[in-house]
Amino acid sequence: MEATSSAELFTGTPGSSVLGAFNPSTASYQYFFVTLGLVQSTVSVLINPMTIIALFKFRVINRSRAYLFIANQSFSDFILACCHILRFVGQILRWHNRALKATIVFSWIASSSGLVVFTASVATSLAMGVDRAIATWKPMSYKQIMTYRSTVMAIVIIWIVTIAFNIPPILYQYVDLIRSGQFHYVINPTEVFPAYYSTYFSGPLMTISVIGNIVLYAFVWGGYMKAISKADVSNFERRVHKTTRMCIITVSLLIVGMIPLLILGAIPPQNLDPDIYEIYQLMYDVTLMTSIIPLYLNNVMYACLQED
């Protein structure tokens, strides 16, 4: 596994974004974004376990099956934040031309794990949307349909399918690059996939999943607005409304942070002209930072929207 040379590291060629090489002409803002990313990711790593512990310790998890999905979402956010920290630390080492072989390994671990968790996060938000759709449109049948067992099984299936969806192509790409002697530092996380896989399968599927989330939560919003317009509402229905409102807000934050990154991540930076690339680089760094915000902000929303 050959480390990248210093000359290659310190040029402003495509790949010199926050996740790539160091560009002296944009040093100030690159350091700013990496520092900001590390701070946000560290906050996410600290706050998500607190949310999970609180859900179980105070038995909030028993109020609605949606909280099981929220716990799973918080776990996904925790792992994703750890991946960001690993990548940012590797980036700093790479800028200073230290431990270059280790930074390559860091980039692969962070990218591979990040893609798995990102997929699980999107799937969890979809499952949570189905849960809320049932709760708002069929509140009297909710407990019979969304049992504790079925919810746990849904979460287990999410992780099994997510791992099956990501790990085989990642291993294939890893073995292929090792055999060809082209094992390299990963700039764009989708580089851990074979090019055809991300272009024709994972990319379109993730786009469809995000669109599915938008459509589903629009449906949930319609049911929520219809439900709160009723004059006579039971205590159970009132709790359902509050939980649904919380899920709509938090998933909306997740989707808003996700869409720009998905769009820019689908653009191969190596095919851009240098002048256009500088704009792409700044936009990618900004969208990466905004995508980290829901990892910790959603925990604040969970706490603020609770009755107690």
Side-chain angles (χ1 to χ4, degrees), residues 62-267:
N62 296 330
R63 296 179 186 173
S64 171
R65 302 299 176 244
Y67 288 104
L68 283 172
F69 291 118
I70 288 172
N72 189 55
Q73 191 74 61
S74 293
F75 174 73
S76 300
D77 291 346
F78 168 76
I79 299 299
L80 193 56
C82 290
C83 293
H84 284 311
I85 289 176
L86 185 62
R87 178 173 285 278
F88 288 136
V89 170
Q91 180 62 58
I92 293 171
L93 291 174
R94 194 169 179 81
W95 282 351
H96 293 283
N97 204 24
R98 295 180 179 178
L100 297 184
K101 292 183 178 180
T103 63
I104 295 175
V105 175
F106 286 177
S107 72
W108 271 81
I109 294 174
S111 297
S112 301
S113 303
L115 286 172
V116 171
V117 176
F118 184 80
T119 307
S121 181
V122 174
T124 300
S125 63
L126 274 169
M128 195 187 305
V130 172
D131 174 271
R132 291 298 86 197
I134 296 171
T136 52
W137 288 97
K138 298 288 184 180
M140 296 299 102
S141 304
Y142 174 74
K143 289 187 177 181
Q144 287 72 39
I145 299 173
M146 296 301 298
T147 63
Y148 186 88
R149 178 183 175 86
S150 64
T151 306
V152 171
M153 285 300 298
I155 293 172
V156 171
I157 291 171
I158 284 171
W159 283 103
I160 292 175
V161 172
T162 295
I163 291 172
F165 173 75
N166 288 279
I167 296 303
I170 290 173
L171 290 176
Y172 176 87
Q173 178 76 339
Y174 171 80
V175 172
D176 185 58
L177 291 176
I178 289 291
R179 287 178 177 175
S180 62
Q182 297 178 353
F183 190 62
H184 61 279
Y185 182 85
V186 175
I187 297 171
N188 190 322
T190 56
E191 290 178 41
V192 300
F193 287 145
Y196 60 85
Y197 185 83
S198 57
T199 302
Y200 299 109
F201 185 68
S202 65
L205 186 58
M206 290 303 296
T207 302
I208 292 171
S209 298
V210 171
I211 294 173
N213 262 302
I214 295 172
V215 173
L216 179 59
Y217 278 90
F219 180 73
V220 172
W221 174 257
Y224 170 75
M225 295 303 294
K226 180 180 178 181
I228 62 174
S229 64
K230 294 180 180 179
D232 189 16
V233 180
S234 66
N235 289 333
F236 171 74
E237 288 177 310
R238 192 173 291 109
R239 288 196 300 270
V240 168
H241 299 164
K242 290 182 178 180
T243 304
T244 301
R245 181 183 62 179
M246 178 183 64
C247 292
I248 291 172
I249 293 172
T250 54
V251 172
S252 295
L253 287 173
L254 182 67
I255 292 173
V256 168
M258 191 184 296
I259 291 176
L261 192 63
L262 281 174
I263 294 172
L264 288 175
I267 302 174

Side-chain angles (χ1 to χ4, degrees), residues 47 51 296-305:
I47 199 171
T51 297
Y296 62 89
L297 184 58
N298 277 349
N299 293 270
V300 178
M301 301 304 297
Y302 296 147
C304 291
L305 294 174

Side-chain angles (χ1 to χ4, degrees), residues 13-59:
T13 56
S16 58
S17 66
V18 113
L19 300 184
F22 181 71
N23 185 347
S25 65
T26 57
S28 296
Y29 99 76
Q30 282 187 291
Y31 273 121
F32 168 76
F33 279 127
V34 167
T35 303
L36 179 61
L38 275 172
V39 171
Q40 290 189 107
S41 299
T42 301
V43 171
S44 300
V45 166
L46 294 174
I47 199 171
N48 277 288
M50 294 170 61
T51 297
I52 296 172
I53 291 171
L55 287 173
F56 285 93
K57 182 178 179 179
F58 299 106
R59 299 184 179 180

